[in-house]
Amino acid sequence: MNKRTLVLYTRSRCSLCDKAKKIILELQEEWNFILKEIDIDTSDELTEKYGIMIPVVEIDGEEVQYGQIDYLTISEAFSEKSKSF
């Protein structure tokens, strides 16, 4: 069984991003996924796409939540994806 991948689009000096990362690290203990953190400031394309939306959480290529990240929404997304896996 392949491990799921969660991508966190973030940038430095972003308090919402810091909160999101704490939540994601807690979720990682429960759901056992690979975490990739991508700083949108390293890419003009990503900055243009996600500039005012960050943090953005993507699971297996699908945007799940952005802005205010909460434990329940991400956990439910993993639960839904597990059913279709």
Side-chain angles (χ1 to χ4, degrees):
M1 187 150 133
N2 290 344
K3 246 187 182 183
R4 309 210 95 82
T5 301
L6 182 147
V7 178
L8 174 63
Y9 291 97
T10 182
R11 68 171 21 139
S12 58
R13 296 180 306 285
C14 165
S15 60
L16 285 177
C17 300
D18 295 339
K19 288 177 187 170
K21 186 166 183 187
K22 282 180 186 164
I23 290 168
I24 288 165
L25 291 174
E26 286 176 34
L27 282 160
Q28 199 169 26
E29 292 172 21
E30 182 182 345
W31 291 101
N32 191 25
F33 55 85
I34 296 164
L35 169 61
K36 287 185 180 176
E37 201 171 340
I38 298 176
D39 183 339
I40 67 165
D41 289 334
T42 60
S43 158
D44 289 342
E45 185 182 328
L46 289 175
T47 301
E48 197 174 303
K49 184 174 181 181
Y50 295 124
I52 58 170
M53 293 170 57
I54 60 155
V56 176
V57 173
E58 192 178 88
I59 300 173
D60 297 336
E62 182 184 331
E63 269 179 36
V64 175
Q65 195 175 30
Y66 63 89
Q68 293 280 357
I69 305 302
D70 69 271
Y71 189 95
L72 189 61
T73 301
I74 304 300
S75 186
E76 285 175 353
F78 273 112
S79 183
E80 283 300 310
K81 288 194 170 289
S82 293
K83 289 177 191 168
S84 64
F85 207 45

